[in-house]
């Protein structure tokens, strides 16, 4: 017998919203135990969401034509951060056009040109660490990933604009760095500009300042003569759609903020978790170092990215730590049957990365960090999807993986680190993402190679 809203969780919508903001993983786990395939939660102000953890149902959703769903509409909560012309909020032909314009900058040979820069940025950040002193892994990783976005995506490496924009970007993102402050996303009232000190007011001020700086940078790049710059913004400015039309300044600004917003916190958090596991389990660190040693002195960065065990460590980190526990919701346009279920039009279908990645039948002992599972078996796109799937699959997944591998390799080969304590680390909400509580304190025991402290090329960093 088919039902309209299957396995409806019988709790008040305001209660479920509070749980969703404060402890989403506990909420997901609790109900998935009772309903292993899918269940429906009513979230106050958001609606009834069908949370799905059955890979076969998810496969059907990912394989369906994107035209059958509204997807951008479900992302409206982040419009105040990224603007209305963001890829995240688009659907249909417009989404297709925008992805085509953006895609080439993130794939193929383009990526290789970013590898050396990532290594230099990592070295510049790590060389500031002092022997015998501690630092917070997540903060350090965010320094690296923010620098990557500013240099590789925005094309800003030096000058007044560069000095101004980075602290502003960091401050804007820090507006939602705790479960309480994350309510800004979920309670639209808080996004309103209610005066100078209101969260909405502060957000608006940062936005205006950042947008002004981006506008100036776009103008300058548009009028630059000669060869097109290698950064992603220059490529976006040069890109043309099928009608030969370029992206407007407004589109460019919204897309830049989108890339900043989705591209740097996620990668920083994953890196912090990777360092946690690598230093919690000495054999993992040892195996990575052995693999790196096998490449000899000064390996080419692209050789590093091919290493199987290092790749498996990144895959396992992405499995275990869902920075985003769900993919974008797919909202049905018409009634549809998927698996044994019938869904009415306007049903919000939300595959859960977290629940699938912790299924015992796919990942025995899911709470254990075991990179070997990725060397022993292949997972299908609906059994393992840290970057989502179908037409909305993460645009920056190749850049994120490149960054993860190179940062880990560069730091492990140059620096001997240790966890400050061995206590288990909890997962806490940070805006729309989930991050390690306390950020994972690390200690620099020693620099492994003397040259680790003197990068060949100096990258200037804004404190
Ligand atoms: C480890 C880091 C990252 C993770 C775990 C991650 C994960 C995701 C996920 C789960 C989605 C939603 C996909 C879906 O609904 O099917 C997504 C979308 C997206 N991601 Fe990432 N991401 C990461 C890094 C990045 C980076 C570095 C960039 C670019 C600089 C980026 C750009 C995007 C964009 C533009 C979208 C929207 C795609 C669309 O709507 O068509 N992400 N990401």
């Amino acid at each position: 017998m088919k039902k309209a809203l299957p396995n409806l969780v019988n709790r008040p919508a305001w209660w479920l919203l509070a749980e969703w903001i404060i402890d989403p993983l506990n909420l997901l786990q609790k109900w998935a135990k009772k309903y292993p395939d899918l269940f429906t939660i009513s979230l106050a102000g958001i609606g009834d969401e069908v949370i799905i953890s059955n890979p076969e149902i998810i496969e059907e959703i990912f394989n369906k034509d994107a035209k059958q769903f509204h997807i951008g509409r479900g992302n409206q909560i982040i419009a105040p951060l990224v603007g209305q012309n963001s890829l995240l909020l688009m659907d249909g032909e417009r989404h297709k056009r925008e992805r085509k314009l953006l895609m080439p900058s993130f794939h193929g040979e383009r990526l290789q040109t970013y590898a050396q820069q990532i290594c230099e940025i990592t070295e510049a950040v790590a060389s500031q660490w002092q022997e015998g002193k501690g630092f917070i892994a997540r903060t350090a990783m965010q320094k690296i990933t923010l620098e990557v976005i500013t240099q590789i995506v925005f094309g800003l490496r030096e000058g007044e604009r560069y000095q101004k924009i980075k602290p502003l970007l960091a401050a804007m993102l820090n507006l939602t760095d705790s479960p309480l402050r994350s309510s800004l996303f979920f309670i639209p009232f808080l996004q309103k500009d209610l005066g100078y000190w209101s969260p909405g007011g502060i957000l608006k001020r940062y936005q205006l300042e950042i947008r002004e700086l981006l506008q100036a940078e776009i103008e300058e790049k548009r009028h630059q003569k000669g060869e097109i710059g290698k950064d992603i913004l220059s490529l976006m400015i040069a890109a043309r759609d099928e009608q030969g039309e370029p992206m407007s300044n407004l589109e460019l600004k919204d897309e830049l903020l989108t890339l900043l917003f989705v591209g740097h916190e996620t990668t920083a958090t994953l890196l912090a978790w990777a360092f946690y596991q690598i230093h919690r389990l000495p054999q993992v660190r040892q195996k990575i170092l052995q693999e790196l040693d096998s490449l000899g002195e000064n390996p080419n960065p692209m050789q590093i990215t091919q290493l199987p065990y290092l790749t498996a460590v990144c895959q396992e980190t992405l499995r275990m730590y869902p920075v985003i526990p769900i993919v974008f919701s797919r909202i049905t346009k018409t009634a549809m049957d998927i698996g044994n279920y019938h869904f009415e039009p306007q049903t919000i279908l939300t595959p859960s990365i977290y629940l699938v990645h912790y299924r015992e039948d796919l990942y025995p002992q899911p709470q254990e960090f075991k990179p070997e599972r990725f060397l022993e078996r292949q997972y299908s796109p609906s059994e393992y999807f840290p970057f989502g799937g179908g037409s909305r699959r993460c645009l920056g997944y190749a850049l994120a993986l490149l960054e993860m591998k190179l940062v880990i390799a560069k730091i492990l080969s140059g620096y001997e680190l240790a966890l400050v304590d061995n206590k288990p680390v909890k997962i806490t909400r940070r805006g729309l993402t989930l991050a390690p509580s306390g950020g994972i304190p690390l200690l620099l025991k020693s620099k492994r190679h003397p040259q680790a402290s003197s990068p060949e090329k100096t990258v200037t960093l804004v404190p």
Side-chain angles (χ1 to χ4, degrees):
M1 176 70 183
K2 294 177 172 181
K3 292 184 242 165
L5 273 176
N7 304 335
L8 185 63
V9 168
N10 186 14
R11 294 285 183 280
W14 62 267
W15 175 263
L16 290 172
L17 179 69
E19 273 197 274
W20 184 240
I21 296 173
I22 296 163
D23 196 356
L25 297 187
N26 182 45
L27 176 76
L28 290 173
Q29 249 169 16
K30 195 168 53 188
W31 294 103
K33 257 191 212 143
K34 184 160 182 201
Y35 305 117
D37 281 350
L38 51 79
F39 56 87
T40 307
I41 45 173
S42 300
L43 298 175
I46 297 176
D48 299 326
E49 288 213 27
V50 182
I51 306 283
I52 307 165
S53 48
N54 175 318
E56 280 154 31
I57 299 178
I58 294 172
E59 187 181 347
E60 270 196 62
I61 295 176
F62 283 164
N63 288 341
K64 277 196 184 296
D65 190 333
K67 282 191 201 127
Q68 301 192 17
F69 301 108
H70 301 284
I71 302 175
R73 209 175 80 191
N75 288 336
Q76 269 299 329
I77 49 170
I78 45 176
L81 271 186
V82 296
Q84 286 293 344
N85 293 284
S86 158
L87 182 72
L88 303 180
L89 305 185
M90 291 178 189
D91 269 318
E93 285 307 312
R94 185 144 188 242
H95 175 258
K96 222 170 166 182
R97 166 192 181 263
E98 199 82 354
R99 253 184 102 96
K100 262 197 194 152
L101 285 167
L102 295 173
M103 190 71 96
S105 320
F106 287 94
H107 292 94
E109 280 178 25
R110 274 287 154 204
L111 275 189
Q112 300 193 16
T113 60
Y114 309 141
Q116 191 55 36
Q117 230 169 317
I118 294 171
C119 293
E120 284 164 21
I121 292 170
T122 308
E123 193 53 60
V125 172
S127 63
Q128 293 180 338
W129 301 337
Q130 290 173 21
E131 279 181 349
K133 295 240 163 102
F135 63 93
I136 301 294
R138 206 194 160 283
T139 314
M141 294 307 125
Q142 185 155 332
K143 256 191 169 178
I144 296 176
T145 58
L146 184 56
E147 198 67 42
V148 167
I149 293 280
T150 329
Q151 293 193 19
I152 293 179
V153 179
F154 293 12
L156 283 167
R157 286 194 88 153
E158 54 202 1
E160 198 189 334
R161 218 170 280 146
Y162 169 79
Q163 304 282 345
K164 276 189 183 161
I165 204 161
K166 273 207 329 189
L168 274 171
L169 294 176
M172 185 175 76
L173 291 162
N174 283 340
L175 271 181
T176 56
D177 65 358
S178 71
L180 184 65
R181 301 217 263 177
S182 306
S183 314
L184 186 62
F185 286 116
F186 301 97
I187 305 174
F189 171 73
L190 294 178
Q191 293 168 3
K192 290 206 167 105
D193 179 3
L194 300 171
Y196 196 83
W197 295 111
S198 66
I202 301 172
L203 179 62
K204 200 168 165 193
R205 274 203 311 284
Y206 286 148
Q207 279 273 331
L208 279 175
E209 281 184 65
I210 294 170
R211 282 173 178 276
E212 253 173 47
L213 291 166
L214 291 179
Q215 174 76 24
E217 187 62 24
I218 292 169
E219 295 286 347
E220 195 178 300
K221 285 204 156 78
R222 274 206 199 280
H223 296 107
Q224 238 161 31
K225 301 230 157 52
E227 219 182 296
I228 300 171
K230 288 195 170 57
D231 56 273
I232 291 179
L233 173 58
S234 297
L235 298 170
M236 280 157 65
I237 291 174
R240 296 291 178 268
D241 66 12
E242 279 163 10
Q243 273 68 47
E245 293 297 322
M247 289 167 79
S248 70
N249 283 1
L250 189 58
E251 269 179 303
L252 287 168
K253 277 183 280 186
D254 287 4
E255 293 307 12
L256 285 175
L257 286 173
T258 303
L259 297 175
L260 161 79
F261 180 66
V262 293
H264 104 287
E265 287 234 326
T266 43
T267 318
T269 296
L270 256 316
L271 275 165
W273 282 122
F275 282 104
Y276 170 66
Q277 290 293 356
I278 289 168
H279 293 92
R280 205 177 64 84
L281 303 166
Q283 72 278 16
V284 172
R285 179 170 171 273
Q286 212 44 50
K287 279 191 192 164
I288 300 177
L289 285 173
Q290 268 166 13
E291 242 190 10
L292 289 169
D293 281 349
S294 71
L295 295 178
E297 288 273 304
N298 296 323
N300 172 328
M302 294 323 280
Q303 277 177 293
I304 296 176
T305 63
Q306 306 300 321
L307 293 173
Y309 188 74
L310 176 63
T311 303
V313 167
C314 294
Q315 285 171 310
E316 178 70 342
T317 310
L318 282 153
R319 176 195 72 81
M320 238 180 128
Y321 297 108
V323 271
I324 312 174
I326 51 173
V327 301
F328 301 157
S329 296
R330 275 64 172 167
I331 306 171
T332 56
K333 285 189 180 169
T334 53
M336 65 175 74
D337 292 323
I338 304 178
N340 289 326
Y341 297 90
H342 175 77
F343 301 106
E344 293 299 324
Q346 307 303 324
T347 305
I348 306 177
L349 302 178
T350 309
S352 168
I353 304 173
Y354 170 71
L355 290 177
V356 174
H357 285 187
Y358 275 75
R359 282 181 71 109
E360 289 264 1
D361 54 345
L362 295 174
Y363 303 97
Q365 298 172 296
Q367 307 289 347
E368 301 284 312
F369 186 81
K370 291 183 176 180
E372 287 73 15
R373 40 176 131 239
F374 287 94
L375 301 171
E376 287 157 8
R377 109 161 237 200
Q378 290 237 320
Y379 291 94
S380 79
S382 58
E383 292 172 340
Y384 179 70
F385 51 100
F387 296 106
S391 65
R392 304 302 285 224
R393 187 172 185 213
C394 175
L395 197 80
Y397 79 92
L399 175 62
L401 281 173
L402 179 78
E403 240 179 301
M404 283 181 73
K405 291 178 192 174
L406 293 179
V407 172
I408 294 172
K410 196 81 200 156
I411 291 178
L412 288 198
S413 40
Y415 301 84
E416 204 176 329
L417 304 170
L419 289 174
V420 168
D421 58 50
N422 269 326
K423 284 191 220 131
V425 180
K426 282 200 190 132
I427 301 180
T428 185
R429 189 179 272 289
R430 209 186 133 88
L432 290 178
T433 65
L434 301 176
S437 171
I440 304 177
L442 287 176
L443 173 80
L444 174 60
K445 286 167 75 179
S446 63
K447 297 189 178 180
R448 294 183 80 223
H449 301 300
Q451 73 268 26
S453 57
S454 51
E456 266 169 43
K457 282 192 194 165
T458 316
V459 178
T460 340
L461 296 167
V462 174

